[in-house]
Amino acid sequence: MLFVPVYIIFIPIFTALVIYLFKNRYINYLALLAQAAITVLLVLYHYTYKGNYGDTLFWFGDWQTIGISLVNDEISESFLFLSVFSWWMVLIYTFEKGKTDHNFLFFLMFLQGVFLGLLQSNDLFNMFVFMELTTIIVTILIAYKKAGDSFRAGIYYLLLNTSGVLMFLIGIILLYNTFGTINVEQIGSLIHLYGEETVIRFSYVLMMGGIAVKSALFPVFTWLPRAHGVAASAISALLSGLVVKGGLYLFIRINGMYAGAAIDYTEFFYWVGAITAVVGVMFALSQKDIKQVLAYHTISQIGIVMMGLSSLHDTAMFYGGFLHIFNHALFKSLLFLGAGIIIKAYKTKKVGEIRGVMRAMPVVSVFMIIGMLSITGAPFFFWFISKSIIKYGIMDSGIKYWILFVVNIGTATSFIKLSQIFFGQKRMTIRLKRLPQRITLMTLAFACVALGNFYIQIGEGFFGLPLQEVTVADWAALFDYALALSIGLAFYKLVIEPDYKPVRYIRNFQMSFETANYLFVVFLVVMTVYFVVL
Amino acid sequence: MDPLLTFIVILVGMYGLSTSKNIIKSVFSVTIMESGVILLFLNLGNLEGGSIPIITQASEIIADPLPQALMITTIVIGSTVTALALMLCIKVFHHYGTVEWREILRRGGGK
Amino acid sequence: MIRNGFLILLLLTLFSVFYFSLQDLAEFGKNSAQYFLDHGLEETGSNNLVTSILLDYRLFDSLFEAGILLIAVSGIIWISKHEIEEKNAEFMIDKFKTPDLFVTFSRLVYPLMLAFGFYIIINGHVSPGGGFQGGAIVATAILILYYIDAEKETNIKMIVTIEKYLYLTILVIASLSFFTRGTFFTNIFDPNTFDTGTQSIYLIVLNVLVGFKVALGLWTIFTAFLKEGR
């Protein structure tokens, strides 16, 4: 059982290579088989080590402290389950009988192995290698359609992320020269010795800079809507739902490593998250392309997660943000996959031109509505729970509370806009009936609903969290939701629908690559001033 | 003060990334930054009077081999990133007829 | 202008903070070379400590390092395939003619480079070099062939397939230690029972495989660019 981390990294990679080499449509089914094998192994692993995660530490080779090690804890293991689940969904969604593209499967399965490695790695340089490998594979997947805008998005993504990851690398060398090791656990146990020194603070800033680019925080988020907007729908679902969360996962891990240095990051990253959330919603409101809307909402949701995560470990708010990662992965995958079906049927991405989905595709519409209810924070859906936890954490600060409310209204407005596609006359051109895609949507929708209603059991079973105190049938909260919806509706009718000049201006706003990098440098310096100088 | 010089190389790369309006120049800037990082690693891993990290009878002090090994990995990663970026750059040129960031972002709706 | 001036100011801030970090490092910085000097040869059988780290202590990293090349090769091949109509393709016609002197010298240098590359790969565990470095040299030697014969056609598909098989072989050989020593990705010969000479057999095999893989990968990437130029 100790070797399960290695197996789940290399089974997908091995499968990917075999699929690439044989180029046979029957061999393609091997992907599903490998996926099943990983799932079984993970479940067994979970039951073996449940409760004593200290035993999961595993070194390659016999040399303690010198080689590379893998380790798991509650957080990484829940991420592992989430990733395997997401890959199941994408695999089933893209699997066409006898037609699946083996090239595509190769990249997809390889990415899974690499991502699972990133989640378990206990070595800083190893993390760097996995981050960079993820960047390269994702670039290829973005450019996979080989259209002009996908190449453009691909190169934008590749260069910006590489420069971010290089910052992470400089942070590694500073730490290595201080402690003589690049093992996360060892550094974590030594870091209190030099916690106040400039070199440790500076390395923290550089690492956070790299992570901010990877997880699309405020000044450096511009690659995300491009990349997620142009990729194929299944890839967008995977990227938005999961791969971006890799950055957030590293945020948790690296901050855990720096815990001994007593760096007070709560306030700073709360505000970074808040600005990210507001800016993301602002851009989402102005967009007319259905995938762009969803991509900008990913940014705003990442901001909300960041608001939660910025609070220290083991506080309620931290778990609010943490649980929202899972929640977001579910409903964003659902929305992207559903949007993919609709786009394919209508042959357009413009929200204004898609009408009458409810009549044309009733089943898909129901699932999409479940996703929309989830993202707007309706009661009986999970976002309602995690939002309540975050709200509880910031209750005593007025302005922080209001920011969350504003983001909520923005989200409601934007999904009122999106929900227009359900009404109107039926204008579909192609009839698509593909069972695997329906199954995927159904599973995701079911997961959304289940998570929202059985949250007490799930919270206790997986994370040992007492969620009983969060009540769903709270009249004040219901009123809150209704209020947000009605303000959103009014805002939509009065401001967004007439398409005033500022809205058009935001829609056409383009951030050039050098400006994005400029902002990255500014962000680095602001962090330096905040964490090192002050 | 060698490490300071290598950090200047990194900063030159960052300056290039934040000012150049041409995709190829951006790719070069990333490469320059990468070279800076590699030099920084090797510099900080070096010891005064240390020899190459190969065990012979005479060696008493050696340079730290770990950064050197890590840098081989970084060089390979860097070269693949450069190759991929240049290939994408060629493709962007085929589609848009230009390699200026502003131009390609402006064209085709710019989404 | 103001923008660039401000940028320089920002970069100077980073620079000064880095300067103070270096001061800290000079005060309590650590150098962990001693461990490798004391144990490197006995534990891995390699005189070259860089090789011992690449192929033993951190073999896990190196596998993904080779994997990155593999992914980039497949990605570049996929991206460079022409399917959609493209504008401006006539700009890319290769008008470059290689000078005769260069061709003649290339013919002379080519076998030497190839031999030098193999030397570096095979002696990776005793002298400077190794699979990655030697592979790059071999790839350069092969690329010189294109100067000698500009019309040379390469069967990319076959090279890519061989490369994938090589990577699979590397993975299998690297994990063989699971059966001999009970742990993944290390030397298959236990240092307690075998001497360094036996251990170095494993290093040579792995170096050769990695070297060929890198050479084929770089060759493919270059060929893809060349095709793009034609």
Side-chain angles (χ1 to χ4, degrees):
Chain A
M1 275 295 111
L2 192 60
F3 293 118
V4 166
V6 189
Y7 296 146
I8 62 173
I9 293 171
F10 281 97
I11 287 175
I13 291 178
F14 216 80
T15 317
L17 286 168
V18 170
I19 287 172
Y20 190 90
L21 283 172
F22 286 99
K23 296 185 174 58
N24 182 319
R25 60 197 167 98
Y26 296 109
I27 296 285
N28 284 350
Y29 286 99
L30 210 59
L32 297 178
L33 202 68
Q35 199 69 15
I38 299 172
T39 318
V40 171
L41 280 174
L42 252 183
V43 171
L44 289 176
Y45 187 71
H46 174 72
Y47 282 110
T48 314
Y49 287 105
K50 199 180 176 189
N52 45 345
Y53 286 103
D55 298 345
T56 58
L57 181 67
F58 156 64
W59 295 87
F60 288 104
D62 296 334
W63 325 278
Q64 310 287 306
T65 75
I66 273 297
I68 295 174
S69 62
L70 300 178
V71 74
N72 277 310
D73 54 7
E74 287 98 338
I75 292 176
S76 73
E77 205 173 54
S78 40
F79 264 93
L80 287 178
F81 276 111
L82 179 70
S83 333
V84 173
F85 179 72
S86 297
W87 253 279
W88 263 120
M89 291 299 112
V90 173
L91 268 179
I92 295 173
Y93 184 86
T94 50
F95 222 90
E96 282 177 62
K97 211 173 167 186
K99 254 177 72 184
T100 315
D101 189 352
H102 61 87
N103 229 326
F104 180 76
L105 266 182
F106 168 69
F107 291 122
L108 200 63
M109 293 307 277
F110 211 105
L111 181 61
Q112 185 181 13
V114 170
F115 196 77
L116 294 181
L118 176 67
L119 296 178
Q120 308 181 72
S121 177
N122 193 25
D123 184 282
L124 285 176
F125 192 77
N126 200 228
M127 278 181 190
F128 162 77
V129 172
F130 281 134
M131 274 161 91
E132 197 62 34
L133 197 43
T134 317
T135 310
I136 289 176
I137 302 178
V138 169
T139 308
I140 295 168
L141 284 177
I142 290 169
Y144 197 79
K145 279 201 303 191
K146 297 203 269 192
D149 50 355
S150 56
F151 290 134
R152 182 175 62 184
I155 195 164
Y156 197 102
Y157 173 83
L158 178 66
L159 292 181
L160 197 55
N161 275 273
T162 305
S163 70
V165 174
L166 280 178
M167 288 295 126
F168 191 85
L169 194 54
I170 304 173
I172 293 176
I173 185 62
L174 292 181
L175 282 181
Y176 175 69
N177 271 281
T178 316
F179 298 112
T181 174
I182 45 176
N183 188 289
V184 172
E185 261 179 19
Q186 286 171 20
I187 292 178
S189 64
L190 291 171
I191 208 156
H192 63 276
L193 296 175
Y194 309 118
E196 285 297 314
E197 305 292 341
T198 313
V199 57
I200 300 299
R201 299 284 167 134
F202 192 45
S203 69
Y204 179 78
V205 166
L206 293 171
M207 286 194 164
M208 283 301 135
I211 290 169
V213 176
K214 275 255 113 140
S215 47
L217 293 182
F218 163 57
V220 279
F221 62 88
T222 41
W223 58 265
L224 192 142
R226 283 175 216 286
H228 295 190
V230 301
S233 295
I235 296 301
S236 302
L238 191 62
L239 298 184
S240 266
L242 193 67
V243 177
V244 173
K245 311 296 196 317
L248 294 173
Y249 173 75
L250 285 176
F251 180 84
I252 300 173
R253 278 306 286 276
I254 299 295
N255 272 316
M257 185 180 84
Y258 277 96
I263 295 171
D264 183 23
Y265 59 87
T266 307
E267 200 73 0
F268 184 82
F269 279 106
Y270 180 86
W271 285 108
V272 169
I275 297 170
T276 312
V278 171
V279 171
V281 157
M282 209 173 75
F283 276 99
L285 280 175
S286 69
Q287 296 300 319
K288 287 203 163 197
D289 179 327
I290 181 165
K291 288 186 79 176
Q292 293 283 327
V293 172
L294 292 176
Y296 276 111
H297 271 294
T298 301
I299 296 174
S300 89
Q301 300 289 324
I302 284 172
I304 293 170
V305 172
M306 203 42 145
M307 284 154 78
L309 289 185
S310 69
S311 141
L312 296 167
H313 274 270
D314 297 329
T315 55
M317 208 170 139
F318 174 82
Y319 280 105
F322 180 64
L323 291 175
H324 190 45
I325 291 178
F326 295 86
N327 183 29
H328 177 249
L330 293 178
F331 65 64
K332 195 46 75 69
S333 307
L334 175 60
L335 287 171
F336 260 120
L337 295 178
I341 295 178
I342 293 172
I343 289 168
K344 218 170 197 174
Y346 282 79
K347 283 184 179 160
T348 176
K349 287 183 184 174
K350 295 266 178 286
V351 179
E353 293 170 18
I354 305 175
R355 284 289 178 269
V357 180
M358 192 57 121
R359 286 204 188 133
M361 291 182 274
V363 186
V364 176
S365 312
V366 169
F367 296 143
M368 284 289 276
I369 288 171
I370 290 179
M372 287 183 181
L373 285 175
S374 292
I375 198 173
T376 46
F380 303 109
F381 288 95
F382 196 69
W383 175 207
F384 184 80
I385 319 288
S386 45
K387 190 170 63 181
S388 306
I389 302 173
I390 295 179
K391 265 185 188 166
Y392 174 76
I394 51 177
M395 199 108 80
D396 31 318
S397 165
I399 184 148
K400 286 181 175 177
Y401 185 84
W402 283 107
I403 285 177
L404 203 60
F405 193 65
V406 165
V407 173
N408 253 331
I409 291 173
T411 315
T413 314
S414 141
F415 280 92
I416 285 169
K417 185 174 85 182
L418 262 194
S419 66
Q420 301 299 313
I421 62 170
F422 295 129
F423 310 121
Q425 289 303 309
K426 182 172 166 178
R427 263 197 298 160
M428 196 173 59
T429 45
I430 323 165
R431 278 206 78 73
L432 289 166
K433 267 223 156 101
R434 287 203 35 221
L435 191 63
Q437 300 191 339
R438 296 265 171 94
I439 292 174
T440 324
L441 289 188
M442 199 178 73
T443 318
L444 284 166
F446 178 74
C448 278
V449 175
L451 209 58
N453 288 306
F454 301 102
Y455 58 94
I456 296 175
Q457 291 87 335
I458 291 169
E460 270 191 344
F462 278 91
F463 312 107
L465 296 175
L467 294 179
Q468 292 91 330
E469 290 166 30
V470 188
T471 45
V472 175
D474 186 350
W475 285 109
L478 269 176
F479 175 72
D480 242 24
Y481 181 64
L483 186 70
L485 269 191
S486 42
I487 295 178
L489 188 62
F491 191 64
Y492 170 68
K493 284 287 176 204
L494 293 176
V495 182
I496 304 299
E497 206 175 33
D499 208 13
Y500 288 122
K501 209 176 170 191
V503 180
R504 283 208 301 273
Y505 176 76
I506 294 177
R507 179 164 66 240
N508 293 326
F509 176 78
Q510 289 290 332
M511 195 184 280
S512 184
F513 180 75
E514 71 266 17
T515 318
N517 246 290
Y518 197 99
L519 285 179
F520 180 42
V521 177
V522 173
F523 183 60
L524 276 180
V525 172
V526 168
M527 275 208 293
T528 312
V529 171
Y530 187 87
F531 288 117
V532 182
V533 181
L534 292 183
Chain B
M1 284 286 109
D2 277 341
L4 280 181
L5 287 179
T6 57
F7 198 72
I8 290 176
V9 177
I10 298 171
L11 292 183
V12 167
M14 282 171 86
Y15 183 85
L17 271 177
S18 320
T19 52
S20 58
K21 297 177 170 56
N22 188 306
I23 294 182
I24 303 229
K25 282 184 188 168
S26 299
V27 176
F28 285 174
S29 305
V30 169
T31 317
I32 290 172
M33 238 167 97
E34 214 147 61
S35 315
V37 174
I38 291 165
L39 288 172
L40 179 64
F41 258 74
L42 298 183
N43 252 315
L44 287 176
N46 197 10
L47 272 189
E48 196 89 7
S51 61
I52 51 170
I54 290 176
I55 295 179
T56 55
Q57 263 74 26
S59 54
E60 292 273 303
I61 311 168
I62 53 164
D64 198 344
L66 188 66
Q68 302 199 5
L70 300 187
M71 280 314 102
I72 290 177
T73 310
T74 313
I75 289 170
V76 172
I77 292 173
S79 64
T80 53
V81 167
T82 313
L84 191 59
L86 285 176
M87 182 49 87
L88 284 171
C89 189
I90 292 174
K91 286 294 169 180
V92 165
F93 181 72
H94 284 179
H95 278 271
Y96 294 95
T98 174
V99 284
E100 301 282 319
W101 281 113
R102 278 173 200 280
E103 278 291 302
I104 64 162
L105 294 180
R106 199 166 52 78
R107 288 185 195 182
K111 282 284 152 54
Chain C
M1 206 54 229
I2 296 169
R3 194 183 136 111
N4 287 3
F6 187 59
L7 179 62
I8 289 173
L9 209 67
L10 293 175
L11 294 179
L12 277 180
T13 320
L14 288 182
F15 182 77
S16 51
V17 173
F18 181 74
Y19 176 78
F20 288 116
S21 310
L22 277 187
Q23 304 292 316
D24 284 353
L25 278 186
E27 204 178 310
F28 47 72
K30 252 192 190 165
N31 196 303
S32 65
Q34 202 56 41
Y35 178 90
F36 298 107
L37 191 58
D38 295 343
H39 306 279
L41 184 57
E42 297 93 76
E43 286 184 349
T44 65
S46 162
N47 289 70
N48 184 349
L49 292 176
V50 176
T51 305
S52 79
I53 292 172
L54 270 181
L55 294 187
D56 213 332
Y57 291 119
R58 300 181 71 88
L59 182 58
F60 187 59
D61 262 357
S62 307
L63 289 178
F64 283 100
E65 179 186 357
I68 268 189
L69 204 58
L70 181 104
I71 282 289
V73 167
S74 324
I76 287 175
I77 300 267
W78 171 255
I79 289 170
S80 70
K81 270 185 196 156
H82 296 257
E83 276 170 14
I84 314 155
E85 57 158 336
E86 287 167 353
K87 292 173 270 179
N88 299 61
E90 71 270 18
F91 279 103
M92 305 299 290
I93 293 167
D94 193 6
K95 289 182 183 129
F96 179 68
K97 175 90 175 67
T98 323
D100 288 339
L101 186 66
F102 192 82
V103 173
T104 316
F105 266 99
S106 300
R107 283 194 176 126
L108 279 174
V109 167
Y110 166 67
L112 293 176
M113 281 180 84
L114 215 53
F116 181 58
F118 285 131
Y119 172 83
I120 293 248
I121 290 175
I122 290 170
N123 284 315
H125 60 293
V126 285
S127 66
F132 288 101
Q133 300 92 318
I137 297 173
V138 172
T140 323
I142 297 172
L143 299 186
I144 280 193
L145 275 182
Y146 283 102
Y147 281 116
I148 300 172
D149 181 8
E151 300 303 313
K152 191 175 158 49
E153 280 291 328
T154 322
N155 187 355
I156 289 195
K157 253 188 187 159
M158 197 185 70
I159 304 175
V160 172
T161 314
I162 295 174
E163 195 210 1
K164 296 281 184 299
Y165 276 117
L166 277 176
Y167 187 65
L168 268 179
T169 321
I170 293 171
L171 283 185
V172 169
I173 288 186
S175 48
L176 273 185
S177 64
F178 178 65
F179 301 105
T180 58
R181 291 177 63 183
T183 179
F184 279 105
F185 308 139
T186 179
N187 203 315
I188 52 173
F189 302 109
D190 197 317
N192 296 324
T193 44
F194 293 95
D195 60 343
T196 49
T198 324
Q199 281 191 305
S200 61
I201 295 172
Y202 169 81
L203 295 174
I204 292 173
V205 169
L206 215 54
N207 256 337
V208 168
L209 284 174
V210 170
F212 273 107
K213 204 214 139 300
V214 170
L216 291 180
L218 293 178
W219 186 11
T220 326
I221 290 176
F222 187 79
T223 317
F225 272 98
L226 211 66
K227 284 212 163 143
E228 204 61 26
R230 279 185 184 148

